[in-house]
Amino acid sequence: MGHRGPWRRRDGRRAVRTALAGAASGALAVLGLLGGPAAHAASGPGGPSVYYVGDDGGLWSYGQQADGSWTTAAAQGPAGVAPPGAPVAATRLPGGPPTAYLVGSDGSLLEDCPATGGPVALTKPGFTAPGTHLTATVKAGHALVTVPLAALAGQVLEIPHPCGPPTALLAGTPLDDYKGGAHASTGLSDGGDALFWVDAGGAVRVQWRAAQTGAVSEKQLTAPGTAKPGGGVAVADTEAAGTSTGVVTLLFTGHDGRVYVAHPVEGGALADVPLPDTTAPVKVPDGAELALPVGKSALRAAWAAGDGTVTVATLSPAGQWQHTDALSGPGFTAPGSSVATAPPADGGDGGDGEFCGTYPHRPVRRTGPLPDPPQWGWQAAGPDNVTPGAVFAWA
């Protein structure tokens, strides 16, 4: 692994975190699970929850409770509801519970929140292919779930859901040049929404949906060959966060091993030229997964670098790269794998944030952006059940 393991004993506010390393391979042999009891991630107000599909095909989650403690990852309902490691999307309405969405083994859209006790079907079986990528965001007070290549032929449906009023919105978006992989969506302040992806030719594209008419307009944002088809993209609505150009902040991974930031204009193309992160010490794998939580005075992008280092980059609200920091040693996780992250507690550059990933098949989490040394602060978050390539979602 190239280091002595992610958990060490440390005195002070990060208490005792230990693990027994395996033999020469550096694999974990024994790991004491820390945090709260195994339970549904019924987090307190504002507390984050994390979701993934385990190697048993069940939805697993863990979260922060009202007293600040964390539960240990536990199964939400039965095993076999989805392909192991299947994509999960998550969101929450203001004041509402965290809610997860995934496409099940029978092709139905599933929803999970503390009230359901496990995933429940929102559509009939065969709605789309099992394990399809999907996104979830908040749009005009509703949860908006977008599923590419679904049977809705571009429609937006209001569907009853058990995780709280109002009804959820479900959008099926046929993308002729979508060949699978990641995509990202965001609601806009005027009630519209946008969906971003890297097409089959390697160009970053967007579909804008107008608030009043529902009309969809599609734009090509970059030249073909810019990025890996289906590769990592992340987006956040930053119109009210001091962004000087565009209405959202968009990130994507380029072929050159760097993460780029740009600002699309609602209904149009880019307001500026994409700028690479030149502060990152290690290149990013082609098509790496990206996460982009929004704080009050800063943005944080997170990814797993080419050497397996969990990495976080800080940007100003206007989209200037500030600095990039290692949150682990090399070899900590699979290069380019999914990393989930929440905004810093104080909303700014220097405050603590929550970060999740895997080591190597076990879900782990840590607090704080600037480790010293980087492997301190990581805790086990659940059992050794994460399938390689599994997607983490945070709400």
Side-chain angles (χ1 to χ4, degrees):
M1 297 291 290
H3 58 86
R4 297 178 58 190
W7 295 275
R8 292 181 178 177
R9 182 178 182 91
R10 183 183 184 183
D11 296 329
R13 71 184 182 94
R14 285 203 173 93
V16 179
R17 293 153 184 179
T18 61
L20 300 179
S25 66
L28 295 183
V30 179
L31 181 62
L33 297 180
L34 306 178
H40 196 292
S43 17
S49 291
V50 183
Y51 300 88
Y52 65 96
V53 176
D55 57 13
D56 63 349
L59 179 67
W60 290 69
S61 73
Y62 55 99
Q64 188 176 35
Q65 302 183 108
D67 64 0
S69 64
W70 282 76
T71 63
T72 297
Q76 312 308 309
V81 299
V88 184
T91 191
R92 70 167 77 205
L93 297 175
T99 304
Y101 301 90
L102 65 159
V103 178
S105 297
D106 63 358
S108 62
L109 177 66
L110 305 177
E111 179 182 58
D112 174 81
C113 66
T116 63
V120 296
L122 298 183
T123 69
K124 294 181 179 180
F127 171 69
T128 192
T132 294
H133 279 264
L134 71 170
T135 67
T137 188
V138 175
K139 167 189 167 79
H142 296 259
L144 171 66
V145 182
T146 303
V147 184
L149 304 177
L152 296 180
Q155 302 177 62
V156 178
L157 303 181
E158 290 195 16
I159 53 176
H161 69 128
C163 295
T167 55
L169 302 176
L170 175 61
T173 306
L175 307 175
D176 293 337
D177 50 7
Y178 174 74
K179 300 301 182 183
H183 52 286
S185 65
T186 184
L188 304 173
S189 59
D190 65 358
D193 62 271
L195 176 70
F196 297 83
W197 74 101
V198 183
D199 68 19
V204 181
R205 305 183 75 91
V206 60
Q207 282 190 355
W208 302 100
R209 183 178 289 110
Q212 301 300 321
T213 65
V216 174
S217 60
E218 184 172 314
K219 300 291 182 182
Q220 179 176 314
L221 301 180
T222 70
T226 297
K228 181 179 179 179
V233 288
V235 65
D237 179 7
T238 50
E239 187 173 11
T243 306
S244 58
T245 56
V247 296
V248 299
T249 296
L250 170 69
L251 299 180
F252 61 88
T253 54
H255 281 316
D256 59 357
R258 299 188 293 183
V259 178
Y260 285 76
V261 62
H263 297 93
V265 177
E266 184 172 0
L270 297 181
D272 49 16
V273 175
L275 294 177
D277 177 13
T278 59
T279 68
V282 179
K283 287 190 174 182
V284 184
D286 203 5
E289 298 268 359
L290 300 173
L292 180 65
V294 179
K296 296 177 182 178
S297 59
L299 305 175
R300 289 217 182 112
W303 60 81
D307 64 353
T309 299
V310 179
T311 304
V312 60
T314 300
L315 301 90
S316 70
Q320 280 82 41
W321 297 101
Q322 303 294 305
H323 52 85
T324 304
D325 301 293
L327 292 187
S328 75
F332 185 89
T333 193
S337 61
S338 179
V339 178
T341 179
D346 68 355
D349 182 7
D352 282 352
E354 291 291 341
F355 304 89
C356 290
T358 59
Y359 175 86
H361 303 299
R362 185 183 297 271
V364 293
R365 53 165 291 270
R366 64 155 294 136
T367 299
L370 298 175
D372 181 22
Q375 59 265 40
W376 284 356
W378 288 99
Q379 293 183 338
D384 190 5
N385 71 341
V386 181
T387 300
V391 175
F392 283 76
W394 193 308

